[in-house]
């Protein structure tokens, strides 16, 4: 157990977790409405909360806009001259934006979007690497009430195409080429390929990350514009659209148990309140804080704790364009020494990878600006936790905020606070207003120290509003997996966990067919369908296996069609198929050619059995196994 030092407790907003938690559970609506009142609303809400199975809605009939609180409110104060965003490029080039300057860029781009006919409710796909325009476009969409859908720049043409189609986006914002380590990636070619048959895309906006123009921009029905040429003519003033608290703010696609990614929808009001509160209390944000999150806005952490959370709290967000060990394995520590962030938020995979380079590398840098460290995305093993605490946190308290949450929850759910005593490897207890439990499939608590399904028993403001155009799937995924006759709020997380004698939560991992590779969420079925797309493959089954650095690695079992023979070349070809259809993050680590796969009598592949066999674990109930 790691106890916080008295001065940390003295300094923290929350000095006694248990006391505030008790109050919040007894009065959740008061708790959340008091927090919401710290933010600005065009019109106050009539009702704080409403549960209509399976939808939880907050701040009913309230009117606001997340931008009203991220930007507009600060422009009336001295904060307008404070740095909102500091961007550091791969070669350490720096771009700095004060709140005022960021607002001007957002307004210009919002006006540009309007000039192309984008209005409230329209979907805008953002396919950009980690450059300031990625964040500016998200915020510009929010300002005019358009719905942003950020697609991770590492995703393939096919992945981009399905996301554009599902959202029926009208416009794509992309870049020409961008540096990625020592390579140059051409995003524009991929974008053009993805929209060739699109029936909805009318315009493409290109950010010139590398100073070159592409002369090959002709597609019927689609117009191409360069960001700088388009925005230079625009006004630096643009009004902020008044939004209902439950109007959508963004769609973010994430992998689930089926082949098709799900569009998680978040709104302006509840999402704003949840992200504001968790950023403030978990990272204990004060006026002079600088938050360095290593996430990418292609994923939820880049939305909640790199973009919206810091701006809602009026602090500075620091963004580094590239990866931790390029051009050298001390790059992050070099950035911390130079730019002096106070909070550093990263993933266990990155920590494990950097551990490999040894303690000497971080020891060369001055990391004394850091006050709080955070971890997210996958379970952090105690040895990585201790290494991070010792070598990066320099054993200062508070140690590591191991924050458990999901794209769907929008905000931290199980999380420590700086004043809490911590156990390495545990993500502490639920945030205020939230009750969580570990249960069996009937919804019965399994008791202390036993593994079961992690569920959330009370709602929180930033719960997803829905799955885009798929309410049925929403209901099935989150509210029907556990028996629930009374139709009370019981949210199924898809994770397995344990609760120890002190009430601390320990996450074991996913209990569905989601694989977490380096913290990236991938669906087994998604990868299998990419494999089956190869003419030589008859059947494929994919599982995740524990991996020392990446958390999980991908193993595929393949049955070939008659007449085709296993070979090393074929393995390479299959891997290439997956990289083309999903992206390099889904690269397969191991392929095994087999004659048969374990199936249920109804023909469903039992990945669970494959996994147990692969890991030498008990196979569990196999009464439904066909053979
Ligand atoms: C996993 C990422 C253990 C978990 C914010 C969850 C974690 C999934 C942690 C959601 C953590 C996230 N400890 N596991 N601190 N944080 N996870 O949607 O399995 O990309 O269900 O959101 O990541 O992944 P997603």
């Amino acid at each position: 157990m790691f106890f916080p030092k008295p001065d940390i407790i003295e300094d923290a907003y929350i000095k006694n977790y248990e006391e505030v938690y008790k109050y919040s559970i007894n009065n959740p609506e008061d708790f959340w409405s008091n927090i919401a009142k710290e933010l600005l609303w065009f019109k106050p809400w009539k009702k704080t909360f409403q549960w209509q199975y399976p939808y939880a809605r907050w701040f009913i009939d309230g009117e606001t806009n997340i931008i009203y609180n991220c930007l507009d409110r600060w422009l009336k104060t001295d904060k307008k001259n404070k740095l909102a965003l500091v961007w550091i490029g791969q070669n350490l080039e720096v771009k700095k934006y004060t709140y005022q300057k960021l607002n001007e860029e957002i307004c210009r781009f919002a006006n540009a979007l309007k000039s192309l006919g984008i209005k409230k409710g329209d979907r805008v796909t953002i396919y950009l690497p980690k450059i300031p325009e990625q964040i500016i476009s998200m915020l510009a969409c929010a300002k005019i009430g358009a719905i942003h859908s950020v697609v991770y720049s590492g995703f393939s043409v096919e992945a981009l195409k399905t996301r554009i189609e599902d959202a029926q986006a009208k416009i794509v914002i992309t870049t020409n080429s961008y540096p990625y380590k020592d390579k140059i990636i051409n995003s524009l070619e991929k974008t053009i390929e993805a929209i060739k048959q699109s029936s909805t895309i009318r315009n493409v906006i290109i950010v010139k990350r590398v100073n070159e123009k592409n002369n090959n921009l002709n597609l019927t029905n689609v117009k191409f514009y360069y960001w700088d040429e388009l925005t230079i003519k625009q006004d630096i003033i643009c009004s902020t659209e008044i939004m209902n608290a439950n109007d959508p703010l963004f769609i973010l696609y994430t992998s689930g148990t089926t082949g098709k990614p799900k569009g998680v929808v978040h709104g302006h009001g509840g999402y704003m309140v949840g992200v504001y509160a968790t950023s403030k209390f978990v990272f204990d944000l004060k006026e002079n804080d600088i938050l360095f999150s290593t996430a990418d806005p292609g994923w939820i952490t880049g939305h909640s704790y790199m973009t919206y959370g810091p701006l809602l709290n009026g602090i500075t967000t620091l963004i580094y364009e590239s990866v931790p060990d390029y051009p050298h394995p001390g790059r992050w520590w070099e950035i911390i020494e130079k730019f002096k962030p106070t909070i550093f938020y990263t993933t266990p995979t990155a920590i494990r990878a950097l551990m490999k380079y040894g303690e000497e590398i971080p020891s060369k840098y001055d990391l004394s600006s850091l006050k709080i460290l955070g971890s997210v995305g996958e379970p952090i093993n105690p040895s990585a936790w201790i290494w991070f605490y010792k070598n990066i946190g320099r054993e200062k308290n508070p140690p590591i905020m191991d924050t458990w949450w999901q794209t769907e929850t929008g905000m931290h759910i199980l999380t420590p606070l700086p004043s809490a005593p911590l156990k390495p490897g545990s993500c502490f207890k639920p945030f205020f207003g939230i009750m969580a439990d570990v249960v069996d499939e009937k919804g019965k608590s399994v008791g202390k120290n036993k593994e079961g399904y992690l569920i959330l028993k009370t709602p929180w403001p930033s719960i997803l509003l829905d799955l885009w155009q798929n309410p049925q799937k929403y209901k099935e995924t989150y509210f029907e997996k556990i028996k629930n006759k009374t139709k009370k709020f019981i949210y199924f997380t898809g994770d397995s966990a344990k609760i120890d004698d002190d009430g601390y939560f320990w996450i074991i991992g996913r209990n569905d067919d989601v694989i977490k590779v380096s913290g990236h969420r991938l669906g087994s079925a998604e990868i299998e369908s990419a494999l089956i797309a190869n003419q030589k493959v008859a059947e494929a089954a994919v599982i995740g296996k524990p991996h020392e650095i990446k958390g999980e690695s991908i193993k595929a079992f393949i049955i070939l069609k008659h007449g085709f023979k296993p070979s090393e070349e074929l393995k390479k070809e299959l891997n290439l198929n997956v990289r083309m259809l999903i992206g390099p993050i889904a690269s397969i680590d191991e392929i095994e050619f087999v004659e048969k796969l374990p199936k249920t009598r109804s023909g469903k592949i039992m990945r669970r059995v494959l996994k147990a066999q692969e890991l030498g674990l008990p196979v569990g109930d196999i009464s439904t196994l066909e053979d």
Side-chain angles (χ1 to χ4, degrees):
M1 191 85 105
F2 286 72
F3 291 93
K5 298 201 177 98
D7 56 320
I8 299 292
I9 303 180
E10 189 61 34
D11 238 30
Y13 285 115
I14 306 294
K15 302 191 190 337
N16 185 331
Y17 163 82
E18 303 294 343
E19 221 171 73
V20 181
Y21 182 72
K22 204 164 152 202
Y23 162 78
S24 72
I25 291 301
N26 292 332
N27 312 277
E29 294 188 21
D30 286 352
F31 175 82
W32 286 115
S33 68
N34 283 333
I35 294 205
K37 284 179 198 156
E38 291 179 21
L39 297 162
L40 303 180
W41 296 75
F42 294 116
K43 201 178 106 193
W45 53 96
K46 289 205 185 109
K47 211 172 152 199
T48 305
F49 175 69
Q50 178 182 299
W51 169 243
Q52 229 163 36
Y53 180 87
Y55 292 104
R57 292 285 183 259
W58 289 82
F59 312 114
I60 316 293
D61 286 340
E63 286 177 357
T64 186
N65 183 313
I66 199 163
I67 298 302
Y68 190 37
N69 284 290
C70 284
L71 274 309
D72 303 3
R73 71 182 300 194
W74 307 126
L75 302 176
K76 297 178 201 126
T77 69
D78 287 346
K79 209 170 261 191
K80 65 175 191 250
N81 298 319
K82 181 180 169 167
L83 287 175
L85 168 68
V86 176
W87 175 85
I88 305 153
Q90 186 167 275
N91 298 323
L92 294 190
E93 62 270 45
V94 180
K95 285 189 183 169
K96 292 183 177 175
Y97 297 82
T98 59
Y99 273 89
Q100 179 156 344
K101 179 158 177 238
L102 183 62
N103 183 63
E104 285 175 12
E105 298 297 329
I106 293 165
C107 288
R108 264 191 225 280
F109 192 61
N111 285 326
L113 287 173
K114 285 210 248 178
S115 75
L116 298 177
I118 299 295
K119 43 185 199 322
K120 187 171 176 171
D122 286 344
R123 274 80 59 206
V124 174
T125 297
I126 303 172
Y127 185 54
L128 287 173
K130 268 167 88 174
I131 53 177
E133 288 81 356
Q134 189 187 27
I135 290 197
I136 294 167
S137 1
M138 288 163 70
L139 299 170
C141 288
K143 188 168 178 84
I144 60 171
I147 303 170
H148 60 74
S149 162
V150 182
V151 178
Y152 174 58
S153 55
F155 274 130
S156 68
V157 171
E158 210 38 52
L160 172 62
K161 191 171 152 195
T162 39
R163 285 160 176 78
I164 290 174
E165 276 170 10
D166 190 77
Q168 301 216 295
K170 282 196 175 161
I171 190 163
V172 188
I173 302 149
T174 188
T175 179
N176 48 359
S177 328
Y178 66 94
Y180 180 77
K181 300 204 234 182
D182 49 6
K183 284 191 245 157
I184 293 282
I185 312 271
N186 191 319
S187 268
L188 188 56
E189 273 173 18
K190 291 205 265 176
T191 308
I192 292 176
E193 199 52 42
I195 60 168
K196 259 185 184 154
Q197 276 126 33
S198 165
S199 57
T200 57
I201 295 290
R202 293 280 163 269
N203 299 296
V204 174
I205 300 175
I206 307 162
V207 182
K208 273 190 267 162
R209 168 69 184 93
V210 176
N211 212 0
E212 63 181 28
K213 273 201 172 189
N214 192 311
N215 298 321
N216 241 339
L217 301 176
N218 38 31
L219 275 185
T220 30
N221 297 331
V222 180
K223 284 210 172 105
F224 292 86
Y225 301 88
Y226 281 102
W227 174 292
D228 43 359
E229 291 164 13
L230 187 68
T231 51
I232 197 142
K233 316 180 272 212
Q234 304 295 336
D235 202 22
I236 55 164
I237 297 171
C238 171
S239 60
T240 301
E241 190 76 30
I242 296 177
M243 304 299 285
N244 185 291
N246 290 296
D247 279 340
L249 165 65
F250 65 83
I251 307 174
L252 185 58
Y253 286 89
T254 186
S255 296
T257 47
T258 56
K260 210 172 148 241
K262 307 177 290 195
V264 171
V265 182
H266 281 289
H268 275 259
Y271 175 79
M272 167 177 86
V273 173
V275 168
Y276 165 72
T278 44
S279 305
K280 175 171 171 177
F281 296 132
V282 175
F283 297 133
D284 214 48
L285 297 181
K286 307 280 163 56
E287 177 64 29
N288 293 323
D289 277 320
I290 301 176
L291 194 156
F292 177 19
S293 160
T294 63
D296 184 309
W299 310 96
I300 191 68
T301 309
H303 283 60
S304 300
Y305 299 107
M306 179 182 256
T307 307
Y308 290 113
L311 299 180
L312 285 167
N313 281 278
I315 63 144
T316 306
T317 182
L318 187 70
I319 296 179
Y320 174 52
E321 182 182 31
S322 193
V323 295
D325 52 359
Y326 184 86
H328 63 83
R331 182 39 80 77
W332 277 356
W333 321 135
E334 184 186 358
I335 289 175
I336 293 171
E337 179 174 272
K338 196 157 174 208
F339 295 90
K340 305 199 174 354
T342 51
I343 298 141
F344 180 55
Y345 194 29
T346 191
T347 63
T349 291
I351 298 164
R352 287 189 294 258
L354 293 168
M355 261 171 95
K356 288 251 157 189
Y357 293 108
E359 297 183 350
E360 305 73 50
I361 295 184
S363 76
K364 289 189 219 136
Y365 297 92
D366 174 8
L367 307 179
S368 59
S369 65
L370 294 177
K371 288 194 318 202
I372 294 177
L373 306 179
S375 169
V376 60
E378 28 167 347
I380 177 163
N381 44 313
S383 61
W385 195 103
I386 304 271
W387 188 90
F388 193 31
Y389 173 55
K390 207 172 129 213
N391 294 287
I392 312 306
R394 304 276 157 88
E395 298 186 46
K396 273 188 299 184
N397 270 305
I400 296 157
M401 303 298 112
D402 177 5
T403 59
W404 179 96
W405 56 297
Q406 307 177 305
T407 306
E408 293 87 339
T409 69
M411 66 177 222
H412 302 147
I413 297 290
L414 300 172
T415 179
L417 299 172
S419 60
L422 300 182
K423 303 185 190 187
S426 159
C427 52
F428 192 60
K429 300 178 185 185
F431 189 75
F432 304 125
I434 302 167
M435 286 164 79
D437 200 2
V438 172
V439 299
D440 62 17
E441 60 280 2
K442 294 201 181 93
K444 210 169 140 266
S445 300
V446 294
K448 293 280 157 74
N449 300 309
K450 292 219 177 70
E451 187 178 331
Y453 300 119
L454 175 67
I455 58 156
L456 305 176
K457 297 200 294 188
T458 52
W460 59 96
S462 62
I463 182 171
L464 74 162
L465 292 180
D466 211 337
L467 289 178
W468 184 253
Q469 308 259 300
N470 207 342
Q472 182 58 28
K473 180 101 204 172
Y474 165 86
K475 190 162 89 173
E476 281 166 17
T477 312
Y478 309 109
F479 293 97
E480 285 184 343
K481 292 264 157 66
I482 297 281
K483 283 214 175 90
N484 178 8
K485 274 198 214 125
T486 54
K487 303 273 186 266
K488 276 197 310 222
F489 183 93
I490 299 180
Y491 171 90
F492 186 75
T493 64
D495 273 33
S496 292
K498 277 186 197 174
I499 306 176
D500 72 11
D501 292 326
D502 301 321
Y504 281 53
F505 283 73
W506 299 78
I507 302 294
I508 292 153
R510 299 288 306 191
N511 56 41
D512 54 9
D513 291 316
V514 169
I515 306 177
K516 270 267 168 161
V517 181
S518 304
H520 295 141
R521 199 164 148 175
L522 297 163
S524 300
E526 227 173 312
I527 306 170
E528 286 159 5
S529 58
L531 288 164
I532 294 165
N534 186 306
Q535 294 300 319
K536 297 170 194 150
V537 174
E539 284 188 89
V542 164
I543 59 162
K545 278 176 74 173
H547 185 276
E548 201 191 340
I549 293 187
K550 298 194 284 188
E552 281 194 285
S553 63
I554 303 173
K555 172 156 186 180
F557 297 86
I558 305 279
I559 303 181
L560 290 176
K561 281 189 189 152
H562 200 66
F564 295 104
K565 290 222 163 57
S567 69
E568 287 306 308
E569 277 69 55
L570 185 51
K571 283 188 184 172
K572 281 196 197 122
E573 183 184 322
L574 290 172
N575 221 337
L576 201 64
N577 291 152
V578 174
R579 292 169 67 98
M580 294 292 289
L581 291 176
I582 303 175
I585 49 166
S587 293
I588 299 186
D589 299 87
E590 231 183 305
I591 293 181
E592 184 176 334
F593 294 102
V594 292
E595 298 290 322
K596 260 188 172 183
L597 286 167
K599 283 189 186 165
T600 59
R601 284 183 204 98
S602 56
K604 222 174 137 223
I605 297 172
M606 294 176 83
R607 299 187 189 102
R608 171 173 73 75
V609 173
L610 279 171
K611 189 162 175 168
Q613 196 182 32
E614 183 70 23
L615 304 182
L617 299 170
V619 285
D621 178 12
I622 45 168
S623 54
T624 55
L625 192 67
E626 172 207 41
D627 179 357

